[in-house]
Amino acid sequence: MEKIKRIGVLTSGGDCAGLNAVISAVVAAASKKGWEVYGIHNGTDGITETPHSYEVLTVHNFSDSPWPRLSGSYLGSLNKGVKMESLEEMSKRFAQGVKDLGLDAIVVVGGDGSMNIVSNYCKGTDVRVIGIPKTIDNDTPITEFSVGFQSAVQVCTQAVDDLEWTARSHNRALIMEVMGRDAGHLAMHSALAGSADVCLVPEIPYSIDGIINKLKAIKASGRNHAVLVVSEGIKTENGEHLSNKKNMVGEAVYGGIGQYLNNEISSRYKDFQIRVTQLGHIQRSGTPAAFDRLLAAVFGAKAIELLSKGETNKMVAWRDGHVQAYALEDVVKEGTTLLNTHSDFVKAAIDLGIYIGEVK
Ligand code: F6P
């Protein structure tokens, strides 16, 4: 087994709070082993593009700075994906890049897609790859939590709290649309934490009448305001996605379901004035939550430990109160982790009277 002298660390995919804490942990743990760390700029672009774009990260210039406490990615990220037909060409450029930079290993902070891409790029090279999961959607398979999720839940919960005041002042029902793609984790966690009245997630069918009945019950109880949290990925009442918009790798682009719900509810029920807030990219920012920084610390340390033991093509994961490592291949095979509709969170939402649709 070749001794590691230099590793690269990169962030890939949509950013989230906590990425810099991960980079910091990787730099600290790798430096302790005497390894040099290259921070690769803009995801894999820093390696595949020429001139290569990177900087040397040391405990002195990175960990000992305000960056680990801030959101965004110090290194920049890449959220455009890679067309599979260009895989061969990209792999060649990647292999040349890691050779030019003299990297023995790479830590990829990203979703399972990004980790898989980098691991494919590295096939046929001696470069070892370890993935650290991050996403506000919390849909990375196997790990119970990905870095960034808790911070996003914090932002969304704060938004529910804040909307409640203005809903109360104006006797309105306010719809808040949150991100999460096809997984309802972010909506369910923030609706529950913020005591919202309605929570719609892609995994559970709903009806407009069901929402209206909930609003009527609120009125009948003497309350004149309501907050509804809805996932961007829910479908229309007929089970269709609102738009056919796709990004360059063919994934659906979401957004706008809150306005659809407003139109549908308002056309059948007039007792509440409704307004819509689309929370947007603010969910990917804010002060990184303590739990995300904890994950960053244990994931960063574990990634370096795995590399030092000669491991490759693994993803670190949080499960059953421990940080563990899983074969990237198995992670990719699992696919997206959706909200478990029989989880304690869903059960609690039902028991507390939040309208979440019709759970089967
Ligand atoms: O996957 C993270 C995420 O924030 C999703 O929740 C959201 O649908 C998407 O990225 C937004 O992507 P973009 O930054 O390209 O608008």
Side-chain angles (χ1 to χ4, degrees):
M1 178 175 79
E2 281 288 306
K3 260 191 108 190
I4 289 181
K5 293 192 198 70
R6 182 182 295 151
I7 66 164
V9 58
L10 61 87
T11 54
S12 182
D15 69 347
C16 61
L19 293 177
N20 295 315
V22 178
I23 299 167
S24 173
V26 168
V27 171
S31 302
K32 197 154 175 272
K33 297 224 174 276
W35 303 348
E36 196 173 19
V37 182
Y38 278 11
I40 310 297
H41 296 155
N42 306 322
T44 48
D45 271 7
I47 295 177
T48 54
E49 305 278 309
T50 44
H52 306 307
S53 184
Y54 67 98
E55 64 191 273
V56 179
L57 299 175
T58 64
V59 174
H60 178 67
N61 77 6
F62 190 79
S63 306
D64 185 12
S65 79
W67 271 101
R69 295 175 175 79
L70 304 175
S71 32
S73 171
Y74 174 83
L75 296 173
S77 195
L78 183 66
N79 198 14
K80 59 179 196 261
V82 174
K83 284 200 175 134
M84 289 320 272
E85 61 260 32
S86 66
L87 186 66
E88 205 182 320
E89 166 63 15
M90 294 302 284
S91 300
K92 257 195 239 151
R93 282 161 61 176
F94 194 85
Q96 186 58 47
V98 291
K99 201 167 159 213
D100 295 346
L101 299 177
L103 302 179
D104 302 309
I106 297 179
V107 176
V108 181
V109 191
D112 55 315
S114 308
M115 295 172 205
N116 192 34
I117 286 169
V118 174
S119 127
N120 274 316
Y121 284 171
C122 288
K123 275 189 187 140
T125 74
D126 294 333
V127 178
R128 293 173 221 164
V129 183
I130 299 291
I132 297 183
K134 64 86 226 166
T135 166
I136 67 164
D137 304 339
N138 209 36
D139 58 355
T140 308
I142 297 186
T143 188
E144 286 163 17
F145 292 106
S146 292
V147 173
F149 175 62
Q150 294 295 347
S151 305
V153 171
Q154 190 64 37
V155 171
C156 295
T157 304
Q158 183 65 55
V160 176
D161 289 354
D162 293 344
L163 286 174
E164 210 263 350
W165 289 108
T166 174
R168 188 182 280 269
S169 307
H170 288 273
N171 297 330
R172 282 174 171 162
L174 297 181
I175 296 175
M176 181 176 104
E177 182 181 314
V178 303
M179 287 182 168
R181 301 199 54 78
D182 297 309
H185 305 285
L186 189 52
M188 184 55 70
H189 282 237
S190 51
L192 206 46
S195 305
D197 301 292
V198 171
C199 174
L200 304 182
V201 293
E203 295 86 347
I204 303 174
Y206 66 92
S207 66
I208 300 292
D209 283 345
I211 303 170
I212 293 173
N213 287 340
K214 176 67 189 175
L215 294 177
K216 282 182 179 166
I218 291 170
K219 276 271 179 200
S221 75
R223 178 149 63 91
N224 272 325
H225 64 277
V227 178
L228 297 73
V229 177
V230 303
S231 274
E232 62 175 3
I234 63 165
K235 296 182 177 148
T236 63
E237 200 182 16
N238 301 332
E240 284 158 14
H241 273 305
L242 209 54
S243 100
N244 297 325
K245 252 172 55 188
K246 299 252 191 293
N247 65 17
M248 69 167 284
V249 283
E251 289 171 341
V253 174
Y254 297 141
I257 196 75
Q259 198 50 54
Y260 158 84
L261 291 171
N262 180 9
N263 297 341
E264 290 301 310
I265 299 166
S266 306
S267 67
R268 298 184 218 174
Y269 176 69
K270 311 271 180 217
D271 287 0
F272 267 121
Q273 195 180 43
I274 299 175
R275 293 286 187 271
V276 179
T277 300
Q278 200 175 349
L279 223 44
H281 291 78
I282 196 94
Q283 294 162 89
R284 302 217 303 231
S285 197
T287 302
F291 187 72
D292 280 332
R293 295 192 218 180
L294 283 174
L295 281 183
V298 294
F299 282 172
K302 186 71 174 181
I304 298 305
E305 180 199 312
L306 290 168
L307 288 176
S308 71
K309 289 182 173 160
E311 303 268 13
T312 186
N313 292 324
K314 295 256 162 91
M315 182 189 85
V316 297
W318 184 260
R319 264 174 97 113
D320 305 324
H322 297 283
V323 59
Q324 307 185 34
Y326 292 85
L328 210 41
E329 203 187 351
D330 294 339
V331 175
V332 173
K333 251 190 249 152
E334 283 271 327
T336 303
T337 300
L338 300 179
L339 182 72
N340 173 357
T341 54
H342 299 288
S343 70
D344 290 337
F345 293 124
V346 172
K347 183 175 179 306
I350 297 168
D351 292 349
L352 298 181
I354 298 175
Y355 174 72
I356 63 164
E358 284 81 37
V359 183
K360 295 206 179 96

